[in-house]
Amino acid sequence: METTFTPPPVETGRVIPLRANAGIPVYIVATVFSSFCVITGLIWDICWHLSIGRDGLLSPPHLVIYLGAVVAGLFSGYEILRKSFWGSKVEKAESVKIWGIFYSSLGALFCVWGALAMLTSAPFDDWWHNTYGLDVTILSPPHTVLILGIIGIQFGAMVSVLAVKNQLKFQTLSQSVKKNKDRILFWLFALSGGFLLTIWFTLLSEELGRMESHRSSYYIFGAAAFPILLMAIGKAVIHKWAITAVAAVYTALMLGTLWIIPLFPAEPKLGPILNHIDHYQAFQFPLMLIIPAIALDFLRNRFAYLNDWKLTVILGSAFLLVFFIVQWYVGGFLMESPYARNWFFGSNSWYFGSNPDWEYRFKFAPFMLESTPELIKGLGIALIASLISTRIGLSWGNWMFKIQR
């Protein structure tokens, strides 16, 4: 049975009819699963290149990535076709109209385009390797297409969950059912947000390694990249610990891959081989984003009565301060401490093409450091970047909070 509700104008500004007893759509769970597949496959692929070298079009990590793309594309594509040709008037009213024919949720659109971009990047990447050899950077042209597709799927998964979660406010369900459904949707949102945060980090991982942790550029990149997503997440849902939950998912995923992937054997198959290994080398120990995330959640709840401009100053400054203090010491520990050279922290992992006896493998080289004036100047730039990133993130979150389609 269907019924129609009019959301309060203060929240949506338009009338959107909703189904009274709609459950959580299967395609949303599928897109969150797809988001998990593509990020774990990508991290595995990075470890593959660190440990084995050249891969093929159908290497195991690539198959996991393609699985995520296919699942997201099929489930989201079917949902679009189902709504367009067999959907009810209520479902079409909840959707975005495309090209005058198709009806889709915003999230499903992102997922379909993301899947197409990812699958297009596969033969492009294989041709690139055959022509130019092994990549020397994460952001090669085919990898850029791939990562844009991954972001499309991961953002689509997050937006899809948000739309259903926001529609829940106007559904005629008992309080217990609504509360349980809202809890499930929040954790689906936290998972999709955490997977997106992981790809966010992966994009910048070459600038955020432990060797760069005592340079100001490390904090400039971090301050520019992370507040925009973390603040958007905090604004997108009503939950006291939303940012912390998403940061916890990122941390758990990074630690899981750090600890599990090196358990499997791997042998370099591309010369020169300077570091003879027999198991996968780990990616990176996660940034301690969960610490600034806790601080941000505490402060945004403590000062919830302030407008976004005032919140920008408080949250942006707090992020940089906590991020700098935590990562300066964690980076130093990972780089120099013998207690970090184990399976738990992974600092003993080393690319097979690098000399394992390099004198600066476990200590900061002079070119990895800055003078105090240079560091202070860089941190000033990082503060400006953090404030700008925070303000954009808050606006982005306000927009996501209103998504219902």
Side-chain angles (χ1 to χ4, degrees):
M1 179 179 179
E2 297 177 345
T3 186
T4 301
F5 295 88
T6 304
V10 66
E11 292 197 29
T12 65
R14 65 178 184 271
V15 175
I16 301 179
L18 297 170
R19 287 163 290 170
N21 59 351
I24 297 174
V26 174
Y27 87 92
I28 289 183
V29 179
T31 55
V32 175
F33 170 76
S34 300
S35 183
F36 171 74
C37 287
V38 294
I39 188 56
T40 52
L42 182 62
I43 293 176
W44 185 7
D45 191 47
I46 292 172
C47 295
W48 181 288
H49 283 280
L50 290 173
S51 312
I52 297 174
R54 177 70 171 94
D55 56 7
L57 180 64
L58 299 179
S59 66
H62 287 178
L63 292 178
V64 176
I65 294 172
Y66 303 153
L67 173 64
V70 170
V71 170
L74 288 178
F75 275 84
S76 298
Y78 172 77
E79 183 68 11
I80 292 173
L81 294 176
R82 186 191 66 78
K83 283 185 177 180
S84 301
F85 299 107
W86 302 288
S88 65
K89 292 182 179 180
V90 173
E91 286 183 305
K92 291 180 178 180
E94 295 174 356
S95 305
V96 178
K97 194 173 184 180
I98 313 155
W99 299 333
I101 302 174
F102 299 105
Y103 291 86
S104 170
S105 67
L106 187 61
L109 275 180
F110 276 109
C111 287
V112 167
W113 286 113
L116 289 174
M118 287 179 62
L119 296 175
T120 300
S121 75
F124 183 23
D125 186 51
D126 191 58
W127 169 84
W128 183 271
H129 282 306
N130 289 330
T131 305
Y132 298 105
L134 187 66
D135 293 312
V136 296
T137 178
I138 289 178
L139 290 179
S140 64
H143 285 178
T144 300
V145 175
L146 171 67
I147 289 173
L148 288 174
I150 290 175
I151 291 175
I153 286 178
Q154 292 182 319
F155 183 64
M158 191 166 67
V159 168
S160 295
V161 176
L162 276 176
V164 176
K165 193 174 189 304
N166 291 337
Q167 291 171 4
L168 185 63
K169 304 171 188 175
F170 312 110
Q171 292 180 2
T172 55
L173 301 170
S174 67
Q175 285 302 112
S176 60
V177 172
K178 183 176 289 190
K179 185 177 180 179
N180 183 60
K181 186 176 178 180
D182 186 69
R183 186 184 301 111
I184 295 172
L185 287 168
F186 171 75
W187 283 109
L188 288 173
F189 172 79
L191 288 170
S192 57
F195 301 153
L196 181 58
L197 179 58
T198 307
I199 189 64
W200 220 258
F201 163 75
T202 305
L203 285 172
L204 297 173
S205 59
E206 292 178 326
E207 308 297 335
L208 296 173
R210 60 182 183 271
M211 292 183 180
E212 290 76 30
S213 61
H214 283 189
R215 293 180 60 86
S216 60
S217 60
Y218 184 97
Y219 302 97
I220 293 172
F221 278 104
F226 296 121
I228 186 172
L229 180 57
L230 296 177
M231 303 305 170
I233 286 166
K235 274 280 190 175
V237 296
I238 300 176
H239 194 283
K240 187 176 181 180
W241 300 107
I243 300 176
T244 302
V246 168
V249 170
Y250 154 79
T251 304
L253 179 60
M254 289 293 295
L255 288 176
T257 53
L258 176 74
W259 296 337
I260 294 173
I261 292 178
L263 296 176
F264 295 91
E267 181 182 349
K269 298 185 181 299
L270 186 69
I273 302 172
L274 302 179
N275 181 31
H276 295 274
I277 58 175
D278 56 12
H279 283 74
Y280 276 103
Q281 300 301 286
F283 180 29
Q284 283 192 31
F285 191 79
L287 300 180
M288 290 290 95
L289 290 174
I290 195 163
I291 306 301
I294 292 171
L296 293 176
D297 273 333
F298 173 79
L299 290 172
R300 72 185 181 89
N301 287 292
R302 172 66 178 82
F303 297 102
Y305 58 89
L306 297 177
N307 63 43
D308 283 352
W309 287 104
K310 293 179 180 178
L311 277 177
T312 295
V313 176
I314 295 173
L315 299 179
S317 302
F319 173 84
L320 179 61
L321 177 63
V322 178
F323 183 69
F324 171 71
I325 293 174
V326 172
Q327 288 304 140
W328 182 274
Y329 289 104
V330 170
F333 170 79
L334 293 173
M335 185 65 184
E336 298 183 326
S337 175
Y339 297 106
R341 301 166 202 169
N342 50 52
W343 67 271
F344 188 90
F345 294 104
S347 292
N348 56 338
S349 291
W350 198 243
Y351 173 51
F352 69 83
S354 296
N355 181 5
D357 298 320
W358 185 45
E359 61 178 318
Y360 296 120
R361 180 178 176 181
F362 295 120
K363 67 178 181 179
F364 289 103
F367 58 83
M368 300 175 190
L369 303 172
E370 291 177 325
S371 66
T372 301
E374 289 175 324
L375 180 62
I376 293 174
K377 178 182 177 181
L379 289 176
I381 297 173
L383 177 60
I384 295 173
S386 183
L387 294 175
I388 295 173
S389 182
T390 298
R391 187 64 188 88
I392 296 173
L394 291 173
S395 297
W396 182 17
N398 288 332
W399 171 76
M400 288 200 294
F401 181 76
K402 299 176 183 178
I403 292 175
Q404 294 188 10
R405 294 180 179 233

